[in-house]
Amino acid sequence: MSLTGTPFFLTSLLLLVVAIVLPLALWSRIAGPRLVRGALRLVMLLFAQATAITMVFVLVNNANNLYDTWDDLLGTGSHIEAARDLGPDGLGGRQISDEPRRAQPFRPADDPVVGPGVQVTDLQGRISGVSGEVYVWLPPQYHDPAYRTKKFPVVELLPGYPGSAKSWFGTLAAGRQLQPLMERGEIEPFILVAPRTNIYQGADTGCVNIPGKVNADSWLTVDVRQMITETFRAGDRPDSWALAGYSAGAHCATRLALAHPDRYRAAVGMSGYNDPAGEATSLAGRDPKLRIESNPLHQLREANLAGRPPHTALYLSGASGDGYEAGLGLRRQARRPTTVTVQRIGADAGGHTSAVWRAQVPEIFRWLGREIKG
């Protein structure tokens, strides 16, 4: 039974009703010794507690797209076939452009939570050794004959941790919000790409490459990126690509854009952080060396000292204590051509929640339209 499907939701609801009705109907009718009566009543109370907790979990999980499958929840899924040392460029001495080009087959996404027009594929990363689902939403202009020769810009969408690849289309309703704005010409048309980021059992990867464990960086910035350019009319230059994320995904988007200005021109981070230890389960945050190297502040300092500040535009939003200060730190460190826009979110906006990030979707894409070209 699917973790996010209607059958499991209805089963949880039915069990909750049963758990409420049982004590009301049987509490005073239980016969036998006092010890037996007490034990049976305790079982009914525990059953009621368990079903109530399960129902709350199902509602929260379905509303926020935290876990897609039982494997994700229990940490039993495997998405890593190999994690060899790929070197500082994440390519392991190979050039993916030299690999045979092949269009990836897609199918319509079968989960109604993502809204219309979303398609999905199961990708096996040729470089990273990671496999997982990738969701894609095409702008309304994509199938318009007037745009038949146009290559569209792309935004990779990253969730927090734990988080589902569907969250930007489900909880944040990106496609449903952006479609009418793109149809009216208020926002530039983008291809939206949401790859799986929950790929390592029981931990956040921090979107880094760790030989012997996981090559999350190469999965997102090499394999997924190349697959999109081979399958769709997508631009392949850096100024056609951007990343956007919230929470742990905001950290990833910022870090990856600064690490790979030859692949991405811009990044959006909502309610993020610089120190990867901001996510307690982060593999990067647990490693003293990686904790420093994958901190965007350190990345900018080192690039500036080397005389090579990245040609990268960042848009960072957050409330005080929840991303705002991290953005200010990066803005102070930025040197041309690096630019950093910081947007303060009011303390009364709703906290570290999907409602706050969903409300920002139109504005961040207006900003991306000014930074990214097809």
Side-chain angles (χ1 to χ4, degrees), residues 20-262:
I20 294 172
V21 171
L22 274 178
L24 294 175
L26 302 178
W27 191 270
S28 60
R29 298 183 181 183
I30 298 175
R34 178 180 298 178
L35 184 61
V36 173
R37 296 198 306 272
L40 290 174
R41 287 168 178 163
L42 178 61
V43 168
M44 287 193 293
L45 292 175
L46 292 175
F47 178 57
Q49 289 283 343
T51 56
I53 292 171
T54 300
M55 191 73 248
V56 170
F57 164 77
V58 170
L59 292 172
V60 171
N61 187 58
N62 289 355
N64 294 281
N65 298 131
L66 300 176
Y67 299 99
D68 271 347
T69 67
W70 290 103
D71 283 340
D72 288 343
L73 176 63
L74 302 175
T76 56
S78 177
H79 296 273
I80 303 169
E81 299 167 4
R84 62 191 183 91
D85 189 344
L86 298 177
D89 64 357
L91 293 170
R94 297 165 63 183
Q95 289 295 327
I96 196 168
S97 58
D98 296 336
E99 301 283 331
R101 292 180 64 87
R102 59 189 185 203
Q104 184 76 8
F106 274 77
R107 63 187 182 276
D110 58 3
D111 190 340
V113 72
V114 300
V118 178
Q119 49 191 310
V120 64
T121 191
D122 299 306
L123 177 65
Q124 292 186 331
R126 287 179 275 179
I127 300 295
S128 67
V130 172
S131 62
E133 68 273 21
V134 181
Y135 291 85
V136 169
W137 180 90
L138 300 174
Q141 290 87 344
Y142 190 87
H143 298 293
D144 186 334
Y147 290 80
R148 64 183 179 277
T149 62
K150 176 180 173 60
K151 287 189 175 182
F152 290 84
V154 182
V155 183
E156 273 189 77
L157 305 172
L158 310 178
Y161 179 84
S164 162
K166 298 184 295 189
S167 62
W168 273 85
F169 298 120
T171 308
L172 271 61
R176 282 169 285 195
Q177 289 197 72
L178 295 175
Q179 178 154 345
L181 298 175
M182 290 181 184
E183 289 174 341
R184 294 196 297 267
E186 296 179 25
I187 289 179
E188 293 296 316
F190 287 94
I191 296 174
L192 307 185
V193 179
R196 169 177 278 272
T197 56
N198 188 5
I199 55 178
Y200 190 88
Q201 296 179 13
D204 171 35
T205 66
C207 299
V208 297
N209 284 356
I210 305 177
K213 287 189 176 181
V214 62
N215 287 321
D217 183 321
S218 296
W219 161 247
L220 295 170
T221 70
V222 179
D223 287 326
V224 171
R225 191 179 185 281
Q226 186 68 18
M227 180 272 289
I228 294 298
T229 61
E230 292 180 352
T231 306
F232 300 98
R233 295 198 316 278
D236 56 3
R237 299 175 303 175
D239 59 3
S240 292
W241 279 75
L243 300 125
Y246 61 84
S247 192
H251 168 77
C252 283
T254 304
R255 193 199 76 75
L256 293 173
L258 292 174
H260 303 292
D262 59 329

